[in-house]
Each structure stands twice: as structure tokens, then as C-alpha cells.
Amino acid sequence: MALIELQDVRKTYRLGSTDVPALRGVSLAIGRGEFTALWGPSGSGKSSLLNLIGLVDRPSAGRVRIDGRDTGGLGDAARARLRNRAIGFVFQGFNLIAVLSALENVMLPLIIRGESHSRAHLLASQRLAEVGLADFARHRPDQLSGGQRQRVAIARALVTDPLLVVADEPTANLDARTGQQVIELMQALNRSHGVTFLFSTHDPRLATYMQRVIRLADGALHDAPDGIPLPQGVAA
Amino acid sequence: MIAFKLALRNLWKNRRRSLATLIAIALGFAAINLFAGYIHNSYNGLRLGSIYGEGLGHLTIARKGFFEQGSLKPEQFLFSETELARLTQVLGAEAGVQVVSPRLSASGLVSNGKLSTIFIAEGEDPALANRIWRRGMGRPKLDPAQPGAGLVSRVLAERLGVKAGGNLVTLSNTLEGQINALDLDVLRVWDTGTAATNDKSLRLPLSYVQKLLDTRGASRVVVLLDEDADADAARAVLAPRLAAAGFEVDIKTWVELSNYYRQVKRLFDLIFAFLFVIVFVVVLMSIINTLSMSVMERVREIGTLRALGMQRWAVVRIFAAEGSLLGLLGSLGGVVLTLLVKLLITLGHVSYTPPSSSSPVPLSISVLPSMLGVTLLVLCLVATLAACWPARRAAHIEIVDALGHV
Ligand SMILES: Nc1ncnc2c1ncn2[C@@H]1O[C@H](COP(=O)(O)OP(=O)(O)O)[C@@H](O)[C@H]1O
Ligand SMILES: [Mg+2]
């Protein structure tokens, strides 16, 4: 069974009195342990799609299944619990809590879950070490570089052992080299721990890291080879 | 705990803004407590003034109906000599009763031989009256050894041209209706404290007034309790005892008999309520204002926390914690400020002239622990509840909108 399953998912935003269709019927499946890139130009609906898969937004129509479970009927609190348990988030803007240290940021999802402080501390320390930031545990986000911040965010996304990590343009705010290092880190974690990653990007320089690519244009999937051009070196 | 950690650190991060809010709360807190301390002392001064200075004691006991009709038909409401003895005996047996002093009022004309004017006299046993006495309360003592000597109020004495040691004649109707006249030695001249009574008051030995009215009875019995006794509670105890002893009486407390005290208290209580409401509103508004800014600045953080699985109520808790911390720290600052001002007033020997007085008195303010505690609780509660409003708004921001917010 696929970990993530979307069936004819549509998303329409209301902007004043006009409807803006962002997703026009997307169906796809992502399996356990996959390392998938969501590829498409700006405005193609990548963020909208990731928001639906990450359970922070609801589709206008269609179904979103996670681990075989339809999420359509879940209430607000249940979705929050499911996000906390099953989904890790990496944001374009890092979204670390400014007043918390690197370690405290990584502990946060466990604290939200109600884990004891000592256990959260232990697990978060391990994750922080895995992303190579053991020495920066006590640093505040503003004392870290962009790459370091994104690594903290990755540690935070992984600390709950989620089924899926959703990353919306995780490298967009980083320079090319740092961006590459962040993707390499994600790839390494995918290989060593089998974490399922789904990240969006429109950066062709990351082409070499894409194991599977889902192409999105104007709110719809483009599987046809004559669709939008794939970055060089990626097999369709 | 995460709520308080986030709250504390964000307050520190925005310490300039937090400080402004804390100062507003602390000032309001101190204003409430200093004013409460001032009126508490004023009430206490007025209470002692009523009980000892005016000689009202704690309770005044009279025959049923006396307080309504006693001045029209005094003869109908007298306690006889034997009744007075029994009252004294019954009341004296009660714990906490210090003095039982019969009183009898009279009115008539007082003359210096050439000039006559009206008087109102209060007769009381000198020895007993002198036990209802406090230094500095403006109530000179009578002399038990001089049953023919009384006190004359200042304006009356001036009008009649007498000083201490002078002689006057009082003229009144006995209870039977006969004209009666008695010599009066002026023991002392005293100020009653109010213009309304200063031109006609006499304080006389009870035996003198009894002789003038030709009776052996008295119309009222004043009971002095331990200084800080609760007059209402004492009345509740004494009323059934007196009923059981066969007396049909009305009992009034000093508060009920002191118009001045009740007027001042009503005014001060009103000012206090007004002050409290102002502080309440100031704290409410400044917390709402501060927290609204805090929420606006942290929309993306709220979205992130919600994405990480935080429930809405937990988001509310973060900002509520910020509000209660502001309330708590502001109140603690208020405690310090209150004590500081109190210390400065004490060290600086600050004095002022109260409305009822003609000379300055030292400004005295007691810091009341119970008032500090109540204010702290109320302001913390207000701050927390005020915070809930912006906090609820924070919790209802859509995650997607919040994450997209820059
Ligand atoms: N909150 C919103 N309100 C209105 N329109 C939106 C909103 N979010 C996205 N859109 C529109 O939906 C389309 C897809 O946007 P998005 O999912 O952000 O694409 P991408 O992430 O690929 O740039 C765009 O046309 C965008 O303008
Ligand atoms: Mg986007």
C-alpha cells in the first residue's frame, strides 16, 4: 500500500470574488522510503500540493490518504495529532523559533506530543548530532548560518520518526553549495534510515539528486515526456 | 512549561515593550494599594474618633422605639434606676464588655445672668465617661469630684463670655413639665469639632442632668467593648441576652450613629472603586495592546507550531502565559513600588491637611498584606483573561495563511 495516495485532488482559492484554481485534479501515490522531487515552475501549485499532503490545508475536492487512512473526515485536533506523529516539515524559510536554542527547536515536536523533557532532550541531541550540529545545540537560530538553520530544521522534522518529511523548496533560501549540502544530507538520511522525503524545487542544479520526479504545471501533473522540460540528467 | 518558557523569552526579547506594560501595571497596582492604605488609616482614625472622641462607644442601647421617637417623648423611653442597675449587671457579665455607661440628654436655656441661649446637653457618669477616652481625641474629661461642673462648647462659651472656672445657670423643664434651674460651674471649654454643635453643647455629669430633669433614670446605655471589637457581632450576641433578661431594646452600633463616618466612608469607597476600575481598564487595555502586537509579530511562528502539531488551545496557552507573566511581574513591581513610596512617606515625614481638620497631620499609609494579595490576584487574572482575546485570534489563524505570512 502506498504511504501517500491522492485521488483527483483539487484546490481552489478564493481571491476576492474570483476563484483561483491551484490544483486541477491531481492523483498520485508515493511509497515508503521514496525520495521524491516535486518539480515545476513558480505558481504551478507545488506549495498547494505539499500543504494538502502535510495536512495543513484541506482540498476543495478529492481524497488525501496517508498510510491507507482517508484524512478527509479528520477534525482539527486529530489532524494536528496526525501531523505531529506522522509528518515532518522543512520550510523554505527554516521557520525555527527565534527564542529557542537549536536543541530546544529540535525538541519542540516531542514536547508538543507530551514527551518527557529528558527523553525529548536525549532524542533531539541524537538528531542534532546526526545533522552534524552537536556543537551548536545551545546556539539561537540567529547565531547560525542558513545551512545550519536548515539542518536544525531537518533534525526537527526527523525527531519524531515521521512516516514522511515534507520539504517545500528547502534550498530556495540557500546558496547553491549549501543547498546541495542540504539535499545531500536529506538523501543520506533517506538511504541510512529509510525516511520518506517529498520535496519541491524548481532549481535545475539539484537534478542529480532526484530519484523520482513528479512534474507539475498549472496545477496538473505532466507525465507526458513532451511536457515541461526536465532538468538535464534526469530520466523521465 | 513550554508555554511559560516561550512567554518569558519573548517578553525578554521585547523587553522595552514589556517594560512599558509592566510599569503601567505596577503604577496601577501601587495607586490602588497606597490609596487603600490611606483610607484604611483614615477609617481607623475616624472609627476611634467616633468611639472615643465622640464618646459613642461601640454600642448604644435604648428602649425599643427610642431612636425614632425618643426626642419627642423622652419620658416614655427612660430606663429606671433599677433597670439601669440590671442592665449594667447583665452587660457587665459579658466577655469583652469594658464599660457600661448610662446617658441622659437634656435641652433648655443656659444663662450667664444677662444673656440666655439654648443648649443641648449630654449627661454621663464622669468616672465611666472618663474610661471612654483617648488622648488627642478632643474629648476632655469630666471631674468625678465635681458633680456640679460641666464642659461648655467653645462658641457657646464665647457667646456667654465664660471661661473655665466661671458660673452659669441652666434652665429646663423636668420630665413632669415643671421649670427647673440649676447652677453650673464651667469645668473646661472644649471644641466639639463641628460648627453645628459648637455653639450649643454642654457635657454634664449624669447626676446633674437627672437633677435638672428630676429623674433617676437614663435614656441610653453606651457600651464600650475591646478597642478592635466587631460591633455588629457583639450586637448579635448581646441582643438575645438582653431579650432573655426581659429588656425590649434597640441596639445601634457606632457606625449607625456616626453620620460623618458613613459619609466619609461612602465617598472614599466610591473614589476607591473608581480608581480600581481605571486601573482595571488600563491593565486590560495595555495587555490586549501588547499581546496583539506580540501575536502579529509571531504569526509565522504560530503557523509553524501548529504545523508541528500544536493544538489551538496550546497556542492560546502560550499567549495567556505571556499575559499572566506580565500581570504577575507587574504586580510584583507594584508591591515593591508600594513599599518604596510608603518608605519615602515615612522617612520624609510628609504631612497634609485633611478636609475635616484645620491643622496638618502626618500622612499615614498602612500597607495591607491582604490588599496586596487581592490586587495581585485580580490583576494577574485580568492580565490572563485580557491575553486570551488576542491569543484566541492567534489560535484561529489558518496555518497556510500563517506560514505564508512574512
Ligand atoms: N492563499 C492563496 N490565495 C489565493 N491564491 C493562491 C493562494 N496560494 C496560492 N495561490 C495561487 O495558487 C497557484 C499555485 O500557487 P502555489 O501552490 O504557491 O505554487 P508554487 O508553490 O508552485 O509556486 C498560484 O497561482 C497562486 O497565485
Ligand atoms: Mg511555493
Side-chain angles (χ1 to χ4, degrees), chain A residues 30-96:
Chain A
I30 293 169
R32 244 171 239 282
E34 282 191 32
F35 192 74
T36 309
L38 192 55
W39 171 261
S42 182
S44 57
K46 303 185 294 297
S47 295
S48 303
L49 190 59
L50 289 183
N51 286 341
L52 296 177
I53 293 173
L55 299 181
V56 293
D57 203 0
R58 293 169 189 268
S60 311
R63 292 185 184 290
V64 177
R65 283 207 185 81
I66 292 188
D67 211 16
R69 183 174 172 197
D70 188 1
T71 60
L74 293 180
D76 199 71
R79 289 161 75 87
R81 275 194 298 276
L82 192 53
R83 279 198 301 276
N84 180 258
R85 267 210 338 268
I87 298 165
F89 287 91
V90 177
F91 304 93
Q92 177 179 339
F94 321 129
N95 290 26
L96 299 179

Side-chain angles (χ1 to χ4, degrees), chain B residues 303-386:
Chain B
T304 306
L305 291 171
R306 295 272 292 123
L308 297 183
M310 187 174 273
Q311 301 288 355
R312 289 191 201 278
W313 58 262
V315 173
V316 172
R317 202 172 54 176
I318 289 176
F319 291 95
E322 215 168 302
S324 34
L325 273 176
L326 280 171
L328 182 67
L329 295 175
S331 295
L332 291 179
V335 173
V336 173
L337 191 62
T338 307
L339 295 174
L340 204 70
V341 172
K342 151 97 180 151
L343 187 72
L344 288 177
I345 287 173
T346 311
L347 291 181
H349 300 291
V350 179
S351 59
Y352 78 119
T353 307
S356 62
S357 174
S358 51
S359 53
V361 299
L363 177 57
S364 96
I365 289 175
S366 349
V367 172
L368 311 169
S370 62
M371 193 64 206
L372 290 175
V374 168
T375 319
L376 190 128
L377 269 178
V378 169
L379 290 192
C380 283
L381 208 67
V382 173
T384 309
L385 292 179

Side-chain angles (χ1 to χ4, degrees), chain A residues 11-16 18-23 38-51 57 92 168-169 200-202 216 218-219, chain B residues 400-401:
Chain A
K11 181 72 194 179
T12 307
Y13 297 104
R14 262 207 100 77
L15 204 67
T18 54
D19 286 342
V20 183
L23 297 173
L38 192 55
W39 171 261
S42 182
S44 57
K46 303 185 294 297
S47 295
S48 303
L49 190 59
L50 289 183
N51 286 341
D57 203 0
Q92 177 179 339
D168 193 2
E169 310 220 23
S200 68
T201 183
H202 58 258
L216 202 59
D218 205 14
Chain B
V400 179
D401 297 340

Side-chain angles (χ1 to χ4, degrees), chain A residues 51 56-57 76-77 80-81 83-84 89 91 93 95 97 99-100 104 108 111-112 140 156, chain B residues 2 5-6 9-10 13 300-301 303-312 398-400 403:
Chain A
N51 286 341
V56 293
D57 203 0
D76 199 71
R81 275 194 298 276
R83 279 198 301 276
N84 180 258
F89 287 91
F91 304 93
N95 290 26
I97 306 303
V99 297
L100 296 182
E104 287 166 336
L108 200 50
I111 298 292
I112 289 172
R140 292 282 173 89
R156 181 177 67 182
Chain B
I2 184 73
K5 188 190 265 182
L6 285 172
R9 292 203 190 161
N10 276 301
K13 187 177 163 215
R300 208 156 73 102
E301 175 181 320
T304 306
L305 291 171
R306 295 272 292 123
L308 297 183
M310 187 174 273
Q311 301 288 355
R312 289 191 201 278
E398 290 299 328
I399 305 174
V400 179
L403 288 174

